């Protein structure tokens, strides 16, 4: 995860991509805090254990 020109970018090695919150479009508290300016990120951050992470597993059923 990194910031560039005021935008937050999520990288493939961040857990955000497989997080249930991210997959369902729910506002992640960490991303919301960064977006609102409550916290600041100066460089690059690899998100491994933010405390809000819940693994998203897709379950397909044949009908």
């Amino acid at each position: 995860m990194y910031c560039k020109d005021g935008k937050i970018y999520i990288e493939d090695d961040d857990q955000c991509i497989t997080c249930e919150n991210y997959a369902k479009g729910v506002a992640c508290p960490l991303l919301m805090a960064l977006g609102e300016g409550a916290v600041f990120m100066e460089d690059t951050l690899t998100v491994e254990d933010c405390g809000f992470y819940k693994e998203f597993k897709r379950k397909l059923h044949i009908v």
Side-chain angles (χ1 to χ4, degrees), residues 1-2 4 9 15 17 19 21 26 33 39-40 51 56 58 60-63:
M1 178 183 301
Y2 63 96
K4 183 177 180 182
Y9 295 92
Q15 285 187 343
I17 292 180
C19 182
N21 294 325
V26 176
V39 294
F40 296 97
F56 176 73
R58 186 178 302 265
L60 301 175
H61 301 280
I62 299 174
V63 181

Side-chain angles (χ1 to χ4, degrees), residues 5-19:
D5 299 326
K7 296 181 181 177
I8 301 167
Y9 295 92
I10 298 173
E11 299 178 298
D12 289 338
D13 58 346
D14 293 330
Q15 285 187 343
C16 295
I17 292 180
T18 59
C19 182

Side-chain angles (χ1 to χ4, degrees), residues 7-55:
K7 296 181 181 177
I8 301 167
Y9 295 92
I10 298 173
E11 299 178 298
D12 289 338
D13 58 346
D14 293 330
Q15 285 187 343
C16 295
I17 292 180
T18 59
C19 182
E20 184 176 291
N21 294 325
Y22 182 80
K24 291 184 176 181
V26 176
C28 171
L30 176 60
L31 294 177
M32 290 297 295
L34 286 167
E36 292 176 357
V39 294
F40 296 97
M41 185 167 56
E42 294 181 7
D43 197 16
T44 304
L45 171 72
T46 301
V47 181
E48 294 179 348
D49 187 17
C50 66
F52 304 107
Y53 178 79
K54 292 183 259 177
E55 187 174 3

